[in-house]
Amino acid sequence: MTQPPPPPNQPPQQPGFGPPRDSSQQPSQQPPAQPPTPSGGPGLHKAPQPGYGYPQAPQAPQAPQAPQAPQAPQTPPPAAPQGPGYGYPQQPPTPAAGYGYPGQQPGPYGQQPGPYGQPQQPYGQPQQPYGQPGYGYPQPSTMPMPPQPGQPGGGRRFNAQAAIIVSAVVAIALIVGGGVWYASSSGKDDDKETTADSGGTGGKDAKNGGGGTGGTSSEAKEKAPADTASKVLFQVPAPQVPKDSTTISTSGSWLTDTVYAKSGIAEVVGYDRAKGTEKWTIDLPGPVCEATGHVTEDNKTAIIYKPAMPTKDDLQRCTQVALIDLEAGKEVWSKSGKSGTMPIGFNNVTLSGGTVAAGSTSGGVAWDVASGKQLWAPKTSDACYDSGYGGGEKLVAVRKCGTYEQRQLHIQTIDPKSGKVITEYKMDEGIEYAGIVSTDPLVVAADVGDTAGDGSGISDFFSIDNKTGKLRTRISAPGEEFAARCDIITRIEKCSGLAVGNDRLYIPTEEHEGEGEYSQTNEIVAFDLSTGKQTGQRADAGDGYQLTPLRMDGGNVLAYKRPPYDKGGQIVSIDGGTFQQTTLMENPATEAVRDVETRMLPDYAEILFSQGSLYMSGVYASDFSSSDKEYLVIAFGTG
């Protein structure tokens, strides 16, 4: 979209190129941020800011230098173009044993795409939305400037190829987390000194976002407290990256009634939800590659990890699938699969109906949650293979058929125990990738003909009948109008910035000009999944704010409001019928807290909210270092 002019005396910003190459896995989300001292007082550690100083040409694996954060003005100036938000470059998909990954078992058809597994995406002419015109605010497509944390405004995306390149350098520049986990209350005085006042309390799938989906309406559980003002509960310092690695995945975070669990480097750690003290640690031989957000009723979940730490000579593949117990803090079982005689390098994992299912370019495998026994493995042939699965209420497979030049995707609802196909919808030929937004009701996202043009992976949504396998409706969602995204190349159910419930799809619009000078804002709108038309409902973010759906709460939509430069972020509940907003939490507006919060981009960070507690974390650790103390997790609470 068209960028507003920068405020006086603020130089234009240029996106950087030349990301250092990851020796184990490519970055895919916003990096960790640094928490503040109480009230932003003395001793504040400020994380490096993106913007000026990015390398302008491809570089060797040397992390780019990031400049110092701008100081908050004494007198609020005109709002500058907004901080990292929808205009942020899109990250490359995780190539954990994906197409072209070193040592990966070749996929069918002998295709050899590049390390990102994605062909070049030219700009395309977006399709017009179905139904009546909505609140998309279409804008001319332009190359966005890198955003500044804590400032409002800014466009969202640009051409996918450029997005992938720029996102990698931004991720490395900003991802400053690392490996061994400590909580602020683990006995380290220096950590306590950087934590604001404590307070608050904490909260299966709904707690963990559940992929932002859910088809069955029920009573909302999240209620507004008497005082919605939050305080910083705790933070987790950045772990140390091994010397042979530049970036390491720390994907995965979950909530139970008592535990906040988070992946570290070669470990998963459980923390007390309110205090941040360590309750347990699960040590692993290698880094966590991927994790599902779904959790069983007895608080078990699934991860993929490497069997050893990567080195320069052996990057290791993501061959191990494990079930972990989030309450007991232990690994229940760990399994692997084979394609012929070669171990499978898995790209994605999910949970549904007592089954753990993992997919790859070599096909999929499923195991029984209770016993770890292999239940089924779909046959891989020259014609078809299961590339991945979406879980939750139902189990849905994305099965790829045909040659690389003439691909056809089969969206299959399958029986979790037997692997038997219940219903199947065949997408049009030429659609190469699809993401599972929701399994019940079944909603699939795709970039048809590479027309999204913005790296979001979405040009259209497909509403499919689970019982018949027939298409209910197709919803056009042009990239320049709507802001949701899916990492659909290998991470089948990694869709963010949207929610499904009440037989509706809730998605945010792109940012557009607000009422104030240089001000930006957006909305959340709803599409009917039976007609494909907008319902006419709209939730306004408010001037300078940016709304992003997180998940459903019964019939309501929980959303995060990214703040302008002088406010704290908010969690709001949007009534599914009236679209009336109720504020559940508002974070501190001090510069110190905002510097942390505005780095946790909804498109990249893992954001979990439950029962008055908000947890924001990054999904990569990096060897990029600075003089400031760095953190991966920050938690807020009310009460």
Side-chain angles (χ1 to χ4, degrees):
M1 61 178 289
T2 302
Q3 299 292 332
N9 302 320
Q10 180 169 342
Q13 307 167 33
Q14 298 293 333
F17 293 89
R21 299 301 299 271
D22 179 9
S23 62
S24 78
Q25 197 166 345
Q26 296 290 342
S28 65
Q29 293 195 16
Q30 168 65 13
Q34 301 149 300
T37 54
S39 303
L44 166 67
H45 298 290
K46 297 179 70 176
Q49 305 284 329
Y52 323 124
Y54 276 113
Q56 300 303 309
Q59 302 289 328
Q62 177 179 354
Q65 296 297 320
Q68 294 298 317
Q71 298 297 319
Q74 298 299 319
T75 302
Q82 186 160 337
Y86 291 126
Y88 212 76
Q90 301 303 303
Q91 85 275 24
T94 304
Y99 299 126
Y101 195 74
Q104 169 66 36
Q105 173 81 358
Y109 329 125
Q111 65 264 31
Q112 297 295 331
Y116 297 116
Q118 184 175 10
Q120 202 170 6
Q121 293 189 8
Y123 283 8
Q125 182 65 30
Q127 304 175 34
Q128 293 301 314
Y130 283 72
Q132 73 259 31
Y135 305 100
Y137 300 93
Q139 299 288 340
S141 177
T142 60
M143 181 73 75
M145 298 182 293
Q148 288 287 348
Q151 296 178 347
R156 179 174 171 78
R157 306 186 183 99
F158 46 106
N159 175 271
Q161 183 184 14
I164 289 173
I165 297 173
V166 175
S167 65
V169 69
V170 173
I172 295 303
L174 296 181
I175 292 166
V176 290
V180 179
W181 292 92
Y182 299 93
S184 63
S185 17
S186 61
K188 288 187 173 289
D189 294 336
D190 56 342
D191 288 345
K192 292 181 180 179
E193 291 174 359
T194 61
T195 309
D197 294 338
S198 297
T201 58
K204 329 278 150 187
D205 243 3
K207 296 171 188 171
N208 297 298
T213 65
T216 304
S217 297
S218 58
E219 183 179 354
K221 297 180 180 179
E222 307 295 346
K223 308 296 183 183
D227 183 2
T228 59
S230 72
K231 299 176 182 179
V232 176
L233 298 178
F234 65 90
Q235 68 274 338
V236 177
Q240 183 69 40
V241 177
K243 64 178 182 179
D244 289 336
S245 301
T246 54
T247 57
I248 294 288
S249 169
T250 57
S251 178
S253 57
W254 306 268
L255 284 173
T256 73
D257 289 337
T258 59
V259 171
Y260 168 71
K262 176 66 186 167
S263 294
I265 293 181
E267 65 180 359
V268 179
V269 181
Y271 302 92
D272 182 278
R273 284 190 53 151
K275 300 176 183 178
T277 51
E278 284 192 23
K279 301 189 71 166
W280 50 258
T281 300
I282 301 173
D283 292 317
L284 301 169
V288 175
C289 304
E290 273 300 324
T292 181
H294 300 299
V295 179
T296 65
E297 288 296 322
D298 58 350
N299 292 312
K300 294 181 176 65
T301 191
I303 61 173
I304 303 170
Y305 65 89
K306 296 184 177 184
M309 291 302 296
T311 65
K312 293 180 180 179
D313 298 326
D314 187 355
L315 299 181
Q316 295 292 326
R317 297 165 63 219
C318 303
T319 59
Q320 305 302 120
V321 177
L323 186 79
I324 60 174
D325 189 324
L326 297 172
E327 281 294 340
K330 65 180 182 179
E331 180 180 279
V332 180
W333 51 255
S334 179
K335 303 293 178 180
S336 60
K338 289 186 176 181
S339 177
T341 59
M342 294 291 294
I344 296 175
F346 293 104
N347 297 320
N348 54 78
V349 65
T350 196
L351 270 170
S352 181
T355 295
V356 174
S360 74
T361 58
S362 299
V365 182
W367 298 269
D368 179 62
V369 167
S371 66
K373 177 183 177 181
Q374 183 171 317
L375 296 175
W376 44 268
K379 291 183 179 180
T380 302
S381 66
D382 291 338
C384 299
Y385 68 98
D386 281 13
S387 65
Y389 304 94
E393 293 295 323
K394 295 184 182 295
L395 186 61
V396 175
V398 175
R399 189 165 178 82
K400 294 191 175 184
C401 296
T403 64
Y404 184 72
E405 295 78 15
Q406 195 172 8
R407 178 82 72 210
Q408 186 176 40
L409 302 183
H410 298 189
I411 309 301
Q412 300 175 334
T413 299
I414 58 181
D415 181 271
K417 294 299 183 183
S418 67
K420 179 182 177 181
V421 177
I422 300 172
T423 61
E424 179 178 70
Y425 171 72
K426 296 181 180 180
M427 303 189 78
D428 292 341
E429 289 187 6
I431 301 176
E432 297 184 27
Y433 307 104
I436 305 298
V437 177
S438 169
T439 61
D440 186 23
L442 179 52
V443 180
V444 174
D447 186 359
V448 180
D450 298 330
T451 57
D454 60 355
S456 66
I458 304 172
S459 68
D460 295 82
F461 293 96
F462 297 78
S463 175
I464 302 168
D465 191 322
N466 279 103
K467 297 180 180 179
T468 65
K470 294 181 179 180
L471 181 68
R472 299 175 67 194
T473 190
R474 176 172 165 177
I475 299 170
S476 179
E480 77 273 17
E481 293 186 41
F482 299 102
R485 66 185 306 274
C486 289
D487 297 337
I488 58 178
I489 296 177
T490 58
R491 308 167 75 200
I492 301 300
E493 64 175 0
K494 291 293 183 178
C495 293
S496 62
L498 39 64
V500 173
N502 308 317
D503 206 34
R504 292 171 182 171
L505 170 67
Y506 301 96
I507 57 177
T509 67
E510 283 287 2
E511 293 177 350
H512 57 85
E513 292 183 1
E515 295 180 359
E517 188 176 12
Y518 306 124
S519 175
Q520 298 284 295
T521 188
N522 79 329
E523 297 80 32
I524 291 176
V525 297
F527 285 88
D528 189 304
L529 290 176
S530 63
T531 66
K533 296 181 179 181
Q534 287 194 36
T535 64
Q537 297 165 305
R538 184 183 77 172
D540 296 305
D543 216 32
Y545 286 91
Q546 168 190 322
L547 263 174
T548 302
L550 296 178
R551 64 175 174 89
M552 298 301 297
D553 175 34
N556 297 342
V557 181
L558 286 183
Y560 173 69
K561 290 179 70 171
R562 184 172 172 78
Y565 78 94
D566 58 347
K567 302 290 184 182
Q570 299 179 4
I571 296 292
V572 297
S573 177
I574 303 171
D575 186 278
T578 66
F579 257 45
Q580 181 179 352
Q581 296 183 46
T582 300
T583 301
L584 304 181
M585 171 181 284
E586 183 165 10
N587 294 333
T590 62
E591 180 187 7
V593 175
R594 295 196 316 269
D595 283 349
V596 175
E597 184 176 4
T598 53
R599 280 175 169 74
M600 297 295 183
L601 306 183
D603 276 355
Y604 299 88
E606 293 174 344
I607 302 178
L608 305 180
F609 177 83
S610 173
Q611 301 303 309
S613 296
L614 173 66
Y615 305 84
M616 309 178 79
S617 67
V619 294
Y620 269 87
S622 170
D623 65 350
F624 177 72
S625 61
S626 72
S627 59
D628 295 324
K629 191 163 187 176
E630 298 155 358
Y631 294 84
L632 187 58
V633 178
I634 186 167
F636 299 91
T638 57

